[in-house]
């Protein structure tokens, strides 16, 4: 055979990608062409193999066709007994050759700073026979979308920012073709300063939850890691089946997965969910990674088919009426035994319920007349299973009134007076009954009858129970004539009930033009009389003023002595403890001395007066003795014989006022 070793190497490159598919169970070929054309360059053996740790790829020439065409069988063995095969036809062209001038090679770049459309490498190749044009293509292992090649020039550039690349080393297999033959060679791209991919440290995982887990419960807390200090991570969550997405809530700040508020698990509906999470630092993403949530079946509480039931009962004695609301109680766990009862409160003690059938009745004599008991009650009915778990619903009970009270009058007989001045058509009085029933049963109308034909000529009883004057009896009936009517009140219940009373209408003479009649005696109330209240108020004000004046007078008499003149007169000794202020010395009124020496007219006053001298400088020997009391005396030099006595000097509190004397005295 001719030299074909290089051709075999080219075939290695063609099928190297297929070798990746030989790993795992049941390998399959993908992308294997049915034929290729290669240049003849060296020898090759009948059998060649490519092997990795998991599988072996074998190229075996099975058939030699007329030169230069060969058929190769490609067989993949994954060491588990699976050995699929495929056939590749190879055309060998003698005398032609394409050669790369600068690969294989390795190029290094910083991932975080290499942006999209940055130059990576310029591939150069030559064709032995000078065929043009040459076209270039690339494939990458591992697969990535970070690189692209210009098919005409062989320039390799970035298809995106390399900060998004997660592989530190990528092998780019460059193929150049002149249209007849093709050659493939490897270019390794080595990346530095690579972004670290964030990861979950506790996923994948599986958890179990009881179906009665309370809403809002935290089910699982995720943990993540990124080797890049200060990296900002963001998270997403998806639920499978998607219809149950609302069942779960994921808090991206705490990484807590919770049962959504207001939601519950139901084992009988679905027993397992898959919740998937992704984490990204905006440059690299990990996920989705699954968290499996399994639901445990437990005994559940019973529940009613309705949240509200409505019951109507007529008021009655205890146990005399019943009603079946037809409660339908279910249990998620299937058939179960349960009992029914009313929760305490809201008048539930006035009702009874059969624990098995749910039939409702009165536990007491129920009467709503005059508001004795409520006419509408909302009760809570409770179902309890054998494990003491409970469910509840509401029952609104409406109690209707029964016409069990007849209209009644406060008196057996009433009297009304009519006089000659009352005008026909006037309402003379109203005889009003009462009915303890409520609603229509408490409504009534009145009618009246009399055995005396003359009575109905002048009087009538209205449906409103009023007594009306039809025509004036003046001149037709004698004063003092009494007309008796029987008043009948009939209520509007079914069956209707009646009440009766009598009214005597007395025709009497009135001495004034105004007659006041009443159907029933009334009681005088002082506080309802505005005039009486006004008079009482005025009397209270006057009494308060008089009391204040008296108090003021008594205090003034006690402390100032005005009741007895200048000296205290505390005859009740109520002010003895009070120290009176010191009185000022009395002033002695004396006439001005004449420039001519003359006799002092008051010498005899100082000598003979029982008051004595007030001269502080007079020696005691000249002061009059208290025993010398002569009383008033006459003074000849005073006009008209007037006498000057001590009483001619008038004293007031704290003031000394002298009475005027005749001018001749001075």
């Amino acid at each position: 055979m001719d030299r074909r070793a290089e051709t075999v190497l080219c075939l290695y490159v063609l099928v190297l990608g297929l070798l990746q598919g030989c790993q795992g169970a049941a390998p399959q070929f993908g992308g294997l062409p049915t034929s290729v054309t290669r240049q003849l360059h060296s020898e090759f053996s009948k059998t060649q193999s490519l092997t990795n740790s998991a599988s072996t790829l074998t190229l075996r020439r099975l058939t030699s066709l007329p030169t230069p065409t060969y058929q190769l069988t490609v067989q993949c063995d994954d060491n588990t007994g699976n050995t699929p095969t495929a056939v590749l036809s190879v055309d060998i062209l003698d005398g032609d050759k394409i050669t790369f001038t600068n690969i294989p090679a390795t190029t290094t770049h910083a991932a975080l700073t290499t942006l999209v459309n940055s130059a990576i490498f310029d591939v150069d190749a030559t064709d032995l026979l000078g065929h043009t044009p040459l076209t270039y293509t690339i494939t990458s292992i591992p697969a990535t979308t970070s690189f692209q090649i210009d098919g005409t020039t062989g320039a390799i550039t970035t298809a995106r920012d390399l900060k998004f690349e997660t592989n530190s080393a990528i092998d780019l297999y460059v193929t150049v073709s002149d249209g007849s033959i093709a050659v493939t060679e490897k270019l390794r791209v080595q990346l530095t300063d690579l972004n670290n991919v964030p990861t979950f440290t506790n996923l994948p995982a599986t958890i179990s939850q009881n179906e009665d887990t309370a809403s809002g419960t935290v089910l699982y807390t995720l943990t993540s890691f990124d080797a890049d200090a200060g990296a900002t991570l963001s998270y997403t969550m998806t639920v499978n089946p998607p219809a149950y997405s609302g069942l779960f809530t994921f808090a991206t700040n705490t990484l807590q997965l919770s049962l959504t508020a207001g939601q519950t698990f139901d084992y009988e509906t679905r027993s397992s969910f898959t919740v998937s999470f992704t984490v990204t630092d905006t440059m690299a993403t990990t996920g989705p990674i699954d968290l499996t949530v399994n639901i445990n079946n437990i005994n559940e509480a019973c529940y009613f088919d309705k949240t509200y039931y409505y019951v109507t009962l007529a008021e009655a004695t205890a146990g005399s009426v019943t009603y079946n609301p037809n409660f339908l109680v279910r249990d998620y766990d299937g058939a179960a035994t349960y009992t029914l009862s009313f929760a305490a409160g809201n008048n539930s003690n006035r009702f009874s319920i059969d624990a098995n059938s749910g039939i409702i009745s009165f536990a007491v004599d129920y009467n709503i007349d005059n508001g004795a008991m409520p006419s509408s009650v909302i009760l809570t009915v409770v179902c309890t299973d054998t494990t003491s778990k409970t469910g509840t619903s509401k029952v609104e009970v409406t109690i209707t009134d029964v016409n069990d009270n007849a209209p009644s009058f406060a008196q057996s007989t009433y009297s009304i007076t009519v006089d000659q001045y009352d005008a026909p058509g006037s309402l003379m009085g109203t005889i009003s009954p009462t009915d303890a029933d409520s609603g229509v049963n408490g409504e009534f109308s009145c009618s009246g009858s009399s055995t005396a034909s003359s009575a109905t000529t002048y009087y009538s009883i209205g449906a409103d129970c009023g007594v009306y004057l039809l025509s004036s009896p003046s001149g037709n009936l004698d004063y003092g004539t009494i007309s008796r009517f029987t008043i009948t009140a009939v209520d509007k219940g079914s069956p209707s009930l009646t009440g009766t009373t009598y009214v005597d209408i007395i025709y009497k003479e009135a001495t004034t033009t105004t007659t006041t009649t009443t159907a029933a005696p009334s009681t005088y109330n002082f506080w309802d009389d505005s005039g009486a209240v006004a008079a009482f108020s005025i009397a209270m004000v006057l009494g308060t003023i008089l009391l204040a004046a008296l108090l003021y007078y008594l205090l003034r008499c006690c402390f100032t002595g005005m009741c007895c003149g200048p000296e205290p007169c505390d005859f009740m000794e109520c002010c003895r403890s009070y120290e009176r202020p010191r009185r000022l010395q009395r002033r002695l009124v004396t006439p001005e001395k004449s420039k001519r020496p003359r006799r002092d007219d008051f010498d005899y006053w100082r000598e003979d007066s029982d008051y004595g001298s007030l001269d502080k400088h007079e020696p005691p020997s000249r002061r009059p003795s208290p025993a010398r009391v002569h009383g008033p005396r006459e003074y000849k030099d005073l006009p008209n014989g007037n006498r000057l006595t001590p009483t001619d000097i008038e004293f007031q509190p704290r003031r000394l006022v002298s009475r005027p004397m005749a001018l001749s005295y001075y």
Side-chain angles (χ1 to χ4, degrees):
M1 296 293 294
D2 296 326
R3 295 172 294 158
R4 296 176 176 85
E6 189 171 335
T7 302
V8 173
L9 292 176
C10 294
L11 294 176
Y12 287 172
V13 174
L14 253 178
V15 299
L16 188 58
L18 302 177
L19 184 61
Q20 309 301 319
C22 291
Q23 302 181 26
Q28 296 180 351
F29 287 100
L32 181 66
T34 57
S35 63
V36 296
T37 301
R38 289 294 181 266
Q39 62 190 21
L40 177 61
H41 185 63
S42 59
E43 300 284 347
F44 76 99
S45 60
K46 292 182 180 180
T47 301
Q48 296 288 336
S49 297
L50 296 175
T51 305
N52 67 6
S53 60
S55 57
T56 300
L57 183 64
T58 302
L59 304 180
R60 182 178 293 109
R61 187 184 65 160
L62 299 179
T63 305
S64 178
L65 300 178
T67 304
T69 301
Y70 296 87
Q71 286 185 338
L72 300 179
T73 298
V74 183
Q75 180 179 354
C76 182
D77 186 354
D78 63 359
N79 300 323
T80 62
N82 296 313
T83 57
T85 60
V87 177
L88 175 65
S89 296
V90 182
D91 294 331
I92 305 300
L93 299 180
D94 195 9
D96 198 0
K97 180 181 180 181
I98 298 177
T99 305
F100 287 104
T101 61
N102 57 351
I103 58 173
T106 299
T107 181
T108 302
H109 296 271
L112 294 180
T113 59
T114 304
L115 305 179
V116 63
N117 294 323
S118 297
I120 297 297
F121 196 85
D122 289 332
V123 177
D124 189 20
T126 60
D127 188 286
L128 183 62
L129 300 180
H131 293 147
T132 58
L134 298 179
T135 57
Y136 300 87
T137 58
I138 59 171
T139 58
S140 62
I141 297 178
T144 180
T145 60
S146 296
F147 304 96
Q148 59 190 0
I149 188 170
D150 189 304
T152 302
T153 65
I156 299 176
T157 58
T158 56
R160 61 175 180 172
D161 294 348
L162 291 188
K163 65 181 181 180
F164 298 109
E165 183 57 58
T166 59
N167 300 294
S168 60
I170 303 100
D171 290 331
L172 300 179
Y173 290 91
V174 184
T175 299
V176 60
S177 174
D178 63 0
S180 297
I181 60 175
V183 178
T184 302
E185 192 55 83
K186 180 179 73 172
L187 172 67
R188 167 158 287 193
V189 179
Q190 193 74 39
L191 298 180
T192 62
D193 195 18
L194 197 68
N195 174 57
N196 290 288
V197 180
T199 59
F200 291 107
T201 60
N202 59 345
L203 288 180
T206 299
I207 61 173
S208 297
Q209 295 290 327
N210 294 334
E211 63 176 333
D212 64 348
T213 299
S215 63
T217 300
V218 176
L219 307 177
Y220 196 71
T221 301
L222 279 65
T223 57
S224 60
F225 174 76
D226 193 319
D228 296 324
T232 300
L233 305 181
S234 58
Y235 307 86
T236 60
M237 178 195 75
T238 58
V239 178
N240 188 30
Y244 293 91
S245 297
L247 200 59
F248 300 92
T249 298
F250 180 59
T252 57
N253 57 334
T254 61
L255 302 187
Q256 291 181 336
L257 178 69
S258 305
L259 179 60
T260 301
Q263 298 291 325
T264 57
F265 293 123
D266 183 8
Y267 175 87
E268 288 72 22
T269 302
R270 188 168 185 86
S271 60
S272 181
F273 304 91
T274 299
V275 185
S276 302
F277 300 90
T278 62
V279 56
T280 180
D281 60 0
T282 71
M283 294 181 287
T285 301
T286 297
I289 303 180
D290 297 339
L291 172 67
T292 301
V293 181
N294 295 323
I295 308 303
N296 300 326
N297 186 26
I298 62 171
N299 180 54
E300 297 174 89
C302 54
Y303 65 96
F304 292 86
D305 66 327
K306 298 178 182 178
T307 58
Y308 233 89
Y309 293 86
Y310 298 91
V311 174
T312 300
L313 296 173
E315 59 178 356
T317 57
S320 61
V321 295
T322 59
Y323 187 89
N324 189 356
N326 295 314
F327 295 119
L328 181 57
V329 182
R330 304 178 186 273
D331 195 304
Y332 291 108
D333 301 309
T337 302
Y338 55 86
T339 58
L340 298 174
S341 62
F342 283 132
N346 200 23
N347 295 283
S348 61
N349 59 312
R350 293 173 172 171
F351 298 86
S352 63
I353 182 172
D354 187 276
N356 298 316
S357 66
I359 294 177
I360 296 176
S361 181
F362 291 121
V364 298
D365 294 344
Y366 208 99
N367 186 5
I368 64 173
D369 295 336
N370 293 322
M373 296 181 183
S375 60
S376 180
V377 177
I378 297 178
L379 305 174
T380 300
V381 60
V382 182
C383 66
T384 306
D385 64 16
T386 54
T387 63
S388 298
K389 289 195 172 184
T390 61
T392 62
S393 183
K394 297 293 184 182
V395 181
E396 183 174 348
V397 183
T398 301
I399 300 90
T400 59
D401 183 62
V402 173
N403 190 29
D404 53 357
N405 293 283
S408 62
F409 294 90
Q411 300 175 207
S412 60
T413 303
Y414 295 84
S415 63
I416 293 177
T417 61
V418 178
D419 59 43
Q420 68 273 25
Y421 299 110
D422 291 325
S426 300
L427 174 64
M428 308 310 300
T430 301
I431 313 299
S432 297
T434 57
D435 194 318
D437 291 319
S438 59
V440 176
N441 293 332
E443 298 177 3
F444 52 81
S445 61
C446 291
S447 62
S449 62
S450 178
T451 57
S453 59
S454 60
T456 58
T457 302
Y458 303 104
Y459 314 109
S460 68
I461 307 300
D464 59 351
C465 303
V467 178
Y468 292 90
L469 180 63
L470 297 179
S471 61
S472 176
S474 178
N476 298 312
L477 294 179
D478 296 332
Y479 293 123
T481 300
I482 299 176
S483 301
R484 167 163 286 197
F485 277 82
T486 300
I487 298 180
T488 302
V490 182
D491 64 23
K492 297 181 180 180
S494 180
S496 60
L497 301 178
T498 62
T500 60
T501 189
Y502 298 98
V503 58
D504 292 333
I505 305 174
I506 305 172
Y507 178 59
K508 60 188 302 184
E509 182 180 10
T511 58
T512 62
T513 57
T514 302
T515 301
T516 302
T517 59
T518 57
S522 60
T523 302
Y524 175 75
N525 189 336
F526 176 84
W527 299 109
D528 290 336
D529 189 339
S530 59
V533 172
F536 177 77
S537 301
I538 294 173
M540 290 297 294
V541 172
L542 293 177
T544 302
I545 294 173
L546 292 175
L547 181 61
L550 179 60
L551 179 61
Y552 172 77
Y553 179 76
L554 291 176
L555 291 176
R556 183 163 181 173
C557 288
C558 178
F559 293 110
T560 65
M562 286 191 64
C563 58
C564 300
E567 296 299 329
C569 58
D570 189 5
F571 56 91
M572 296 181 65
E573 296 185 354
C574 60
C575 306
R576 183 177 298 277
S577 61
Y578 174 73
E579 183 178 354
R580 299 176 58 85
R582 184 177 181 182
R583 285 185 175 273
L584 296 177
Q585 188 175 9
R586 292 179 295 173
R587 293 176 56 193
L588 180 62
V589 179
T590 59
E592 184 179 359
K593 292 184 179 182
S594 175
K595 294 181 181 181
R596 296 179 302 172
R598 66 181 182 89
R599 182 176 179 269
D600 188 349
D601 292 331
F602 280 89
D603 286 343
Y604 54 85
W605 179 277
R606 287 192 299 266
E607 296 171 357
D608 301 329
S609 172
D610 56 351
Y611 288 91
S613 174
L614 296 179
D615 189 355
K616 295 182 179 180
H617 303 287
E618 188 174 1
S621 60
R622 296 192 60 186
R623 294 180 183 177
S625 173
R628 294 179 60 192
V629 178
H630 301 281
R633 58 183 301 180
E634 296 182 357
Y635 302 95
K636 298 179 179 181
D637 53 348
L638 291 178
N640 301 322
N642 289 334
R643 293 177 299 173
L644 178 62
T645 66
T647 57
D648 291 329
I649 301 176
E650 178 181 1
F651 286 89
Q652 293 184 2
R654 300 184 184 272
R655 293 183 60 190
L656 183 61
V657 180
S658 63
R659 294 179 180 177
M661 289 185 273
L663 292 177
S664 60
Y665 177 80
Y666 296 97

